[in-house]
Amino acid sequence: MIRNWSTAARTTLAAVRRLAPAGPSRRRAAPVTYTLITLCCVLFLISPAAGLNPVYGTGEELLAAQRAYFRRWGVIPAELFEDSPGSALTPATALFVHGSWVHLLGNMLFLYVFGAMTEERMGRLQYALFYLGCGYLALLGYAGANAHSQESLVGASGAISAVLGAFLFLFPRARVTSLLPFLFFLPLRFPAWVVLPFWVTLQWMAAGRAGDGPGVAYLAHLVGFGLGFAFAWVRFGPAARVKSVPVTAPEGENQP
């Protein structure tokens, strides 16, 4: 199974959240973002990947159920371009499948942090179509580049990377707190235009070393990020950029 970017993000941004000037405590309306998070969490909890449902058994029986689950709902590049309507839908279903607790929590943290502001700027319907469309194309791009791979590709990383790309264009000066391992995990504040390109650079470097076996789908991250940034650029134009946003930071910090 090809996992998401949470493993890679964990080594560079051990915790990240949106920061903003102090102001009235209020939640931004982001029903699509919160619905996506809830749906991914619920589906994970009832799936064999969580290891909590006794229906799937334990030990080897559970592992077999997990493999079957990923192959049914995930993207298998070698099968995607066959004449099978079911395979053509897997880039959409794979967006809601996660391989482990770390995988799920890492993705949902990034979606929670960057999704709300992006959704508010785009509007609910446009944001939902943007998320699903970019996520589908990101997984499709990875499958096209690894057309012979038999490994299952699951996770929302492509779609969430698109959200990051759009966020970078729309809110380049939004402040982000990062804990960097090589700086002894000191909490430092950087604008998005510093943190997100740094993350993209790491993905690019890792993609050059990655094979087509189990691991992190770095190429899907790069495709998603590029699609998200390009969409925001074409749709909103340079004049739409927001230099500062008076919003309340989300509660707590978790490891992605």
Side-chain angles (χ1 to χ4, degrees):
M1 180 193 65
I2 299 176
R3 300 187 307 275
N4 199 306
W5 59 324
S6 57
T7 304
R10 190 166 71 244
T11 64
T12 56
L13 302 177
V16 59
R17 66 175 173 141
R18 184 175 68 246
L19 293 181
S25 178
R26 69 179 185 88
R27 282 288 177 193
R28 288 182 169 263
V32 175
T33 295
Y34 301 146
T35 298
L36 289 170
I37 292 174
T38 301
L39 184 58
C40 286
C41 290
V42 170
L43 291 176
F44 177 79
L45 290 174
I46 64 176
S47 76
L52 300 178
N53 194 333
V55 172
Y56 299 108
T58 59
E60 291 298 324
E61 186 180 7
L62 176 60
L63 293 176
Q66 291 174 346
R67 288 192 293 268
Y69 175 70
F70 297 138
R71 290 192 69 85
R72 179 178 181 182
W73 301 110
V75 177
I76 302 176
E79 301 177 4
L80 181 60
F81 301 105
E82 297 178 354
D83 295 330
S84 171
S87 296
L89 294 176
T90 55
T93 59
L95 293 176
F96 300 94
V97 178
H98 290 84
S100 67
W101 286 93
V102 171
H103 187 192
L104 173 74
L105 296 176
N107 276 349
M108 295 305 100
L109 172 63
F110 273 78
L111 181 57
Y112 174 71
V113 169
F114 295 100
M117 288 174 64
T118 307
E119 176 183 347
E120 186 177 54
R121 184 66 185 85
M122 288 186 177
R124 297 173 185 176
L125 178 59
Q126 183 172 225
Y127 174 77
L129 295 176
F130 161 82
Y131 181 92
L132 296 174
C134 288
Y136 187 101
L137 292 175
L139 296 181
L140 190 66
Y142 179 91
N146 299 273
H148 60 287
S149 175
Q150 292 287 344
E151 297 293 336
S152 301
L153 172 64
V154 299
S157 60
I160 297 173
S161 295
V163 172
L164 265 64
F167 186 95
L168 175 60
F169 181 84
L170 294 172
F171 309 101
R173 298 188 182 180
R175 307 295 291 184
V176 174
T177 293
S178 302
L179 302 182
L180 304 177
F182 55 83
L183 292 179
F184 305 101
F185 295 98
L186 294 175
L188 302 175
R189 298 178 61 182
F190 299 102
W193 67 265
V194 172
V195 175
L196 295 179
F198 176 69
W199 175 82
V200 171
T201 300
L202 293 177
Q203 303 304 297
W204 180 273
M205 294 171 60
R209 299 190 301 267
D212 63 350
V216 181
Y218 297 106
L219 181 59
H221 310 166
L222 294 172
V223 173
F225 190 91
L227 288 172
F229 189 89
F231 176 86
W233 184 17
V234 172
R235 172 64 180 83
F236 296 100
R241 291 190 174 192
V242 178
K243 295 183 179 180
S244 61
V245 184
V247 296
T248 303
E251 298 173 358
E253 291 187 0
N254 300 292
Q255 179 172 309

